[in-house]
């Protein structure tokens, strides 16, 4: 468990929260971009941290040469008896590594389970939407600059509009949407289509991956 890395990534997230609060009057897409960049930095931190710790060689400056003419066997230190739970002992580091692996696996399994439920809700928990809704989605998608075709379905259970699906994003509207006015339904559709245009599900998946890596924080 690298506490220095944890402190740095926490600082990045706190800075993103502060910047998003400062930009509270800005467009939601701007605040979304701030958090998206912060999550990318947090995910790349374990890879970039070791690279940053390496000091590059400067041309023209002789490097320090270390010549050790002793047998390698002399480096083998005798086993030391450490008290259980003593910080910095190999046993403790091994335990933390095991816990990190198990914790990451549990969080990832939970995320994949929830993602699977999202896909099942489209497959088993919805039905094709009325043609009028599909026509509205196509028009609104073109209006906001969404190039890909978006499918819309009607949930079998009442709830709030949302985006679901395994790999492709599907707009889900509740049965009560049939009683909404055209303006209310279009406002809900534009809201969900903007989630798809910004790639919010991809950002959520990256955030879940970051949670799996830093589950102990």
């Amino acid at each position: 468990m690298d506490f220095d890395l944890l402190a740095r990534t926490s600082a990045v997230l706190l800075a993103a929260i502060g910047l998003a609060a400062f930009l509270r009057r800005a467009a939601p897409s701007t605040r979304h971009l701030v958090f998206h960049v912060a999550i990318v930095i947090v995910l790349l931190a374990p890879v970039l941290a070791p690279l940053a710790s390496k000091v590059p060689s400067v041309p023209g400056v002789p490097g320090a040469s270390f010549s050790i003419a002793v047998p390698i066997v002399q480096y083998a230190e005798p086993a030391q008896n450490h008290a259980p739970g003593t910080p910095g002992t190999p046993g403790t580091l091994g335990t933390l590594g095991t816990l990190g692996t198990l914790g990451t696996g549990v969080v990832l399994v939970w995320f994949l389970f929830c993602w699977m439920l999202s896909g099942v809700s489209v497959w088993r928990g919805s039905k094709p939407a009325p043609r009028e809704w599909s026509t509205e989605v196509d028009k609104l998608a073109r209006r906001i600059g969404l190039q890909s075709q978006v499918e819309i379905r009607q949930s079998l259970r009442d709830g709030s509009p949302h985006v679901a699906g395994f790999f492709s994003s599907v707009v889900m509207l509740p049965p009560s949407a049939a009683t909404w006015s055209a303006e209310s339904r279009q406002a809900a559709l534009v809201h969900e289509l903007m989630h798809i245009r910004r790639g919010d599900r991809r950002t959520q998946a990256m955030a879940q991956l970051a949670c799996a890596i830093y589950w102990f924080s």
Side-chain angles (χ1 to χ4, degrees), residues 79-92:
Q80 300 179 2
N81 295 326
H82 297 280
T86 302
T89 63
T92 302

Side-chain angles (χ1 to χ4, degrees), residues 105-177:
V106 169
V107 176
L108 283 178
V109 168
W110 174 253
F111 167 64
L112 292 176
F113 175 73
C114 294
W115 194 278
M116 182 182 64
L117 289 182
S118 176
V120 172
S121 67
V122 176
W123 177 40
R124 299 293 299 272
S126 66
K127 63 181 181 180
R131 183 179 299 274
E132 179 184 359
W133 297 6
S134 300
T135 303
E136 289 178 345
V137 166
D138 293 339
K139 292 180 179 180
L140 294 174
R142 289 194 298 268
R143 186 179 304 174
I144 66 175
L146 189 60
Q147 302 297 329
S148 59
Q149 187 175 5
V150 180
E151 182 183 2
I152 180 173
R153 296 183 66 87
Q154 184 176 11
S155 303
L156 300 181
R157 295 182 179 181
D158 208 0
S160 59
H162 62 279
V163 178
F166 278 118
F167 302 105
S168 61
S169 298
V170 180
V171 176
M172 305 282 286
L173 290 186
S176 59

